[in-house]
Amino acid sequence: MPPAVLALRSAVAAGRRYADRWAVSPRAVDAVTALSCFAPMLLDVPGLAQADNSLGRVSATVVLAAGAATLLLRRRAPWVPYLVALGCPGRLHELTFIQFALYSLGRFRGRTAGVMATLGHVLTAYALFDTPGRPAHLGDSHSEFLSLVVPIGVLASGVGIAAYRQDLIRELEAQRAETLALQAVQKERTSVARDVHDLVGRELTVLTVRAEVPAVRARAEPQAPISTSSPKRPAAPITC
């Protein structure tokens, strides 16, 4: 096989391995989330530019792109995209970005943060209702406007909180499985130690018995009587 083909195959395989690792990384998920948020907002740019005379298509695109880019921080600092959504894009009454921000807060900070963020979103939307350039399709009255804003915020935050609870459940299950595994290992170690103790005890018993056998045999064998009379002296030779 030609070296060029081998090099191409190696490069493709390395690219696949890198793509697989990158696809499951949190950074990749955050990047896809930011792009998923920016894409529908980009479709709304013409209408948003017409509704707000202070921003044209280019400036509105830049503002929304900068806002969507803050979603890259949604794991470490989810309050950043939320505050940005209430600030710059909030003046455009862009509801897509606030949905992602509320979901991120509920997803990575839990129920309390999600509820507080939803209340802040509703109050801010209520205050921004009378700002110049408000899109007419969002309602002619406060009730109509809030009937659109409140369900969006509650739904996004609720989904994030549900995902947060699922993460907690999975983490608890993982800890429980780890605890059970450690208990099984400890139980096996205890069983092995008990078996070793029994084996050593039996061996010591056998050695003790074997050591006692010669002593028992020695005590059982009859011993020769020891004479206490004085030994006979040899007769003196008779001399002539």
Side-chain angles (χ1 to χ4, degrees):
M1 187 175 294
V5 177
L6 293 177
L8 180 60
R9 288 188 175 181
S10 300
V12 171
R16 287 181 177 177
R17 290 193 298 269
Y18 178 78
D20 292 339
R21 289 195 300 267
W22 188 83
V24 297
S25 66
R27 293 181 180 179
V29 176
D30 294 341
V32 172
T33 301
L35 292 175
S36 301
C37 176
F38 180 66
M41 291 194 300
L42 188 62
L43 299 176
D44 295 337
V45 166
L48 296 174
Q50 293 177 2
D52 190 351
N53 296 325
S54 63
L55 294 176
R57 292 190 177 186
V58 177
S59 57
T61 303
V62 173
V63 170
L64 294 177
T70 60
L71 288 172
L72 298 175
L73 304 174
R74 69 192 192 107
R75 296 176 185 270
R76 293 173 294 176
W79 288 103
V80 173
Y82 171 74
L83 294 176
V84 172
L86 295 183
C88 296
R91 295 182 63 252
L92 298 174
H93 302 284
E94 175 56 57
L95 299 179
T96 302
F97 184 33
I98 193 63
Q99 294 180 59
F100 282 84
L102 288 173
Y103 170 82
S104 299
L105 266 172
R107 176 72 168 73
F108 299 107
R109 289 298 181 269
R111 181 177 60 184
T112 302
V115 172
M116 293 177 59
T118 303
L119 292 176
H121 160 62
V122 173
L123 293 176
T124 303
Y126 186 85
L128 293 174
F129 178 79
D130 295 325
T131 57
R134 178 180 59 83
H137 68 277
L138 294 181
D140 297 330
S141 63
H142 285 91
S143 60
E144 292 180 357
F145 181 55
L146 293 178
S147 66
L148 176 63
V149 171
V150 173
I152 289 177
V154 172
L155 179 62
S157 180
V159 174
I161 294 172
Y164 177 80
R165 294 185 63 183
Q166 290 297 324
D167 288 343
L168 289 180
I169 292 174
R170 283 193 293 268
E171 183 178 356
L172 291 175
E173 290 179 350
Q175 292 179 356
R176 182 172 178 271
E178 183 178 359
T179 302
L180 292 177
L182 292 176
Q183 291 178 352
V185 172
Q186 186 64 30
K187 184 177 180 181
E188 185 66 22
R189 289 178 178 177
T190 304
S191 177
V192 171
R194 187 182 299 110
D195 294 340
V196 171
H197 179 270
D198 295 341
L199 178 62
V200 172
R202 287 194 298 269
E203 292 295 331
L204 290 176
T205 302
V206 172
L207 291 176
T208 303
V209 171
R210 289 181 178 178
E212 290 292 335
V213 168
V216 173
R217 288 181 178 178
R219 289 194 297 267
E221 291 179 356
Q223 298 180 355
I226 299 176
S227 176
T228 57
S229 59
S230 59
K232 295 181 180 180
R233 295 181 179 180
I238 300 174
T239 57
C240 299

